[in-house]
Amino acid sequence: MARLFWLGWPLALALTALTLLLVLLFPAAAWIGAALTLAVVAIVLIYRFGWNGTPLLLQPVVAEGPALAVVVIQGEGIPPERYQPVAAAIQRHVPDQRLWVAIPRFLGDSPIPREMPLVVEQAQRALRHAGLPPGSPCLFIAHSVGGIAIQKYLKAFPEQGIGQVLMGSFLGRWNLRGLDARGRTLIDYPLPMLTLAGTLDGLARKIGRAHV
């Protein structure tokens, strides 16, 4: 049931049903449901047809090896183009795999968690069109606020990835479920994760210092 509240056609259909119910029961308030429905449909269509721009794609630099996809999620206000050098460096350091990289663009360059299904679907379409074999594993790399968006998405849809790398970001406290008998933090998260933070990395710099 929780998946219904992510942006997509199921939510649009649910809002349409709500609008029709309001028309019958509270006509004066029906415009609220109609406005929400139109907003959701507009966002879905924007991502479906790439009106926000198509994802940046990096083709594999080797011809042999297992296929792997990497999807890079931008940080708040940072254009996807800024992540191309990092993506290219990752490809150079994985010479034994055919590595496709997609760097999608959020509306307004703002990684909103509820838009993640649309962004991931858009990236997956672009990767398939670029030749990624169906069923290939996908790793997500996210920066800053993008790390908050991707961890919420993958907790709801763990089947979409094999793991995540959070750069200048960290696992939210809502994933913590207490301490064990030895005082160690227990984490409730379905996928493997690597956190990377540096001393110059904005709000996450203190975490970088803590782990040095």
Side-chain angles (χ1 to χ4, degrees), residues 16-155:
T16 300
L18 174 63
T19 300
L20 294 175
L21 184 62
L22 289 174
V23 169
L24 294 174
L25 300 179
F26 307 102
W31 68 270
I32 299 175
L36 289 174
T37 302
L38 289 175
V40 169
V41 169
I43 294 172
V44 170
L45 292 176
I46 286 171
Y47 281 109
R48 179 62 183 87
F49 294 103
W51 296 335
N52 59 313
T54 57
L56 299 178
L57 287 173
L58 280 71
Q59 296 277 3
V61 296
V62 297
E64 302 292 334
L68 173 67
V70 168
V71 176
V72 179
I73 304 300
Q74 67 189 120
E76 177 69 35
I78 303 177
E81 292 79 9
R82 299 279 184 90
Y83 298 97
Q84 281 187 286
V86 176
I90 293 173
Q91 285 186 312
R92 291 194 302 270
H93 287 82
V94 188
D96 58 342
Q97 288 189 306
R98 291 178 295 150
L99 182 61
W100 281 260
V101 181
I103 313 174
R105 184 190 303 275
F106 283 80
L107 290 174
D109 286 335
S110 182
I112 304 300
R114 293 295 175 185
E115 294 178 12
M116 280 301 310
L118 305 176
V119 171
V120 171
E121 182 182 357
Q122 186 187 59
Q124 290 172 339
R125 285 197 303 270
L127 288 166
R128 289 193 299 268
H129 184 73
L132 178 71
S136 298
C138 182
L139 175 71
F140 289 88
I141 299 176
H143 178 225
S144 187
V145 177
I148 303 299
I150 193 60
Q151 66 183 266
K152 290 184 175 181
Y153 171 75
L154 289 177
K155 187 165 186 176

Side-chain angles (χ1 to χ4, degrees), residues 187-212:
I187 296 175
D188 180 21
Y189 201 76
L191 292 176
M193 178 189 63
L194 173 65
T195 299
L196 301 174
T199 55
L200 299 180
D201 210 350
L203 295 175
R205 62 186 181 274
K206 292 184 179 179
I207 295 178
R209 290 171 181 166
H211 289 278
V212 171

